Amino acid sequence: MKYGLEIISKTGEDTSVVAVDAQGEHGEEGLALVYSFDGAEYALCISQEAMTQERRGEVNIFTEFRAGRTTVCRVSDGTGYGAFNVRCEKLEVSFNGGDCVAVCAFSGGDGAERTTITVTARALG
């Protein structure tokens, strides 16, 4: 199914907005979306318990967010590999039919500023 996807990311005074069409599937486990942005392919999976985002391109990134937990963000670029901790402070998810709104607040690395991501996915038919 086709979705309209908007991702708003706020860190301190900086805000970025991504608005794209995505292909997705909503099931008992949650919502799985695939989309392209800025030359890379993304997979975004959202459930009540977790949100994962995977980026595939020149730089590959995999991050999992779980409320109240620290996870590891993995990054590779074909010549090297890195990882850093991500502390998810909040993950709130609501589903309304095939639509989904998720709010995730996290910080990554040592002393990193808090980032809040709001994901809105609307089924387009």
Side-chain angles (χ1 to χ4, degrees):
M1 176 178 286
K2 189 173 180 179
Y3 281 82
L5 178 64
E6 180 182 71
I7 302 171
I8 301 171
S9 178
K10 294 182 181 182
T11 304
E13 298 296 318
D14 296 328
T15 300
S16 66
V17 179
V18 173
V20 296
D21 288 337
Q23 286 300 118
E25 184 176 317
H26 182 255
E28 289 182 24
E29 297 296 314
L31 179 63
L33 299 167
V34 177
Y35 62 97
S36 297
F37 176 73
D38 207 19
E41 297 291 319
Y42 291 83
L44 179 64
C45 298
I46 303 169
S47 71
Q48 292 293 341
E49 297 80 31
M51 181 168 71
T52 62
Q53 185 174 43
E54 182 174 8
R55 180 188 194 278
R56 293 180 294 267
E58 286 185 34
V59 176
N60 301 310
I61 302 170
F62 179 84
T63 308
E64 178 181 42
F65 302 97
R66 290 184 175 273
R69 295 190 47 196
T70 298
T71 57
V72 176
C73 176
R74 298 185 304 270
V75 181
S76 65
D77 66 1
T79 62
Y81 174 85
F84 60 91
N85 289 337
V86 175
R87 174 73 181 160
C88 181
E89 300 160 15
K90 173 176 85 169
L91 178 62
E92 296 174 350
V93 178
S94 64
F95 291 102
N96 183 8
D99 297 345
C100 175
V101 176
V103 178
C104 178
F106 67 94
S107 56
D110 294 329
E113 266 190 291
R114 178 180 173 160
T115 297
T116 301
I117 296 175
T118 303
V119 176
T120 305
R122 303 253 183 252
L124 300 177

